[in-house]
């Protein structure tokens, strides 16, 4: 068994099936919708995403990621179709998914290698937000999964925080509330397991240095290994020419112990090989997205995946 493994997170940019669900706003993602979403485009997106997923961290570890949090998945059908693709069907993946009340119908999920990770329990935690009119603002739940990696207990929280669509400052209180909700869950975990190994991952719609992440989520009992990955020239997504690192994986300090550590942090990275990016023109180097507005580009996602490498065993090197 390889002594290194990767854990990653990937926003899949609206992985919808082609069928209309009357309970959510998915009309655009049908053959008669504005985006002209059809089986050919859906199958291509699945094939592209699965090929990428299989390669995350593989150069360093020799294997595909043993855990992968994902965002913007519509339902269990798209997850079943994803792990059933040619690139993933022999990699022993399963997933944890709970439907959330998001009005667009996009959820988070956790893919896992059944040989390396066993699920003990899972549930979702809702965010109770309000819009400007004081009505309930339905958004993505936080997915909680407790399981074991090679027999060692770990706790995973998969997030997709409220967007910046209404403005950064205007929407910031919603992300602060999401951060505080994570802290409540962490406190609950630590009340039962004082030395809990915790992973908080997701698309936070905020950078590592943003107030919601830096001041309301990451504290002395957490470490953000992604903090140095964002530069003027690199991140996990772009907007109007600027790079951002909304996609992050945050760790409890016990992953960092130098000695007698069976699951030891080694490095963090953005998975951004050239084939995931625009090859030329004004947007060269940007993630090759599926859609720009309602214009079909045919890329896999408007985000690059991020990942963390761990070393298993008790070596201090």
């Amino acid at each position: 068994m390889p002594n290194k493994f990767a854990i990653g997170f990937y926003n899949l940019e609206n992985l919808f099936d082609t069928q209309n669900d009357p309970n959510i706003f998915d009309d655009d993602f049908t053959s008669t919708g504005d985006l002209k979403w059809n089986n050919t485009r859906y199958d291509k997106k699945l094939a592209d995403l699965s090929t990428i997923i299989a390669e995350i961290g593989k150069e360093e570890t020799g294997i595909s990621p043993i855990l992968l949090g994902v965002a913007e998945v519509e339902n269990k059908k798209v997850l079943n179709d994803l792990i059933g693709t040619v690139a993933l069907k022999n990699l022993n993946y399963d997933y944890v998914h709970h439907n959330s009340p998001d009005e667009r119908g996009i959820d988070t999920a956790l893919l896992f290698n059944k040989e390396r990770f066993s699920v003990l329990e899972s549930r979702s935690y809702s965010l109770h937000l309000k819009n400007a009119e004081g009505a309930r603002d339905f958004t993505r739940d936080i997915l909680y999964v407790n399981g074991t990696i090679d027999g060692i207990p770990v706790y995973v929280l998969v997030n997709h925080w409220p967007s910046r669509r209404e403005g950064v400052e205007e929407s910031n209180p919603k992300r602060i509330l999401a951060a505080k909700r994570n802290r409540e869950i962490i406190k609950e975990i630590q009340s039962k397991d004082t030395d809990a190994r915790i992973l908080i991952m997701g698309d936070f719609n905020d950078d590592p240095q943003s107030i919601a992440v830096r001041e309301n989520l990451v504290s002395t009992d957490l470490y953000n290994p992604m903090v140095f990955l964002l530069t003027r020239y690199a991140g996990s997504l772009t907007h109007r020419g600027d790079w951002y690192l909304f996609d992050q994986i945050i760790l409890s300090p016990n992953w960092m112990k130098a000695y007698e550590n069976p699951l030891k942090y080694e490095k963090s990275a953005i998975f951004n090989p050239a084939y995931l990016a625009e090859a030329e023109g004004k947007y060269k180097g940007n993630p090759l997205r599926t859609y720009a507005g309602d214009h079909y580009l045919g890329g896999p996602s408007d985000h690059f995946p991020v990942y963390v490498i761990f070393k298993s065993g008790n070596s201090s090197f």
Side-chain angles (χ1 to χ4, degrees), residues 7-18:
I7 292 175
F9 177 81
Y10 197 6
N11 181 319
L12 304 184
E13 191 196 344
N14 294 319
L15 182 56
F16 283 85
D17 62 28
T18 60

Side-chain angles (χ1 to χ4, degrees), residues 1-6 60-63 116 150 261-264 266 309-315 317:
M1 182 183 295
N3 71 339
K4 293 184 180 181
F5 61 87
E60 297 96 323
T61 67
I63 58 171
R116 303 293 297 275
D150 301 339
N261 191 350
L263 301 175
K264 180 184 175 185
E266 186 166 280
I309 300 295
F310 296 95
K311 190 170 186 178
S312 57
N314 283 305
S315 171
F317 300 99

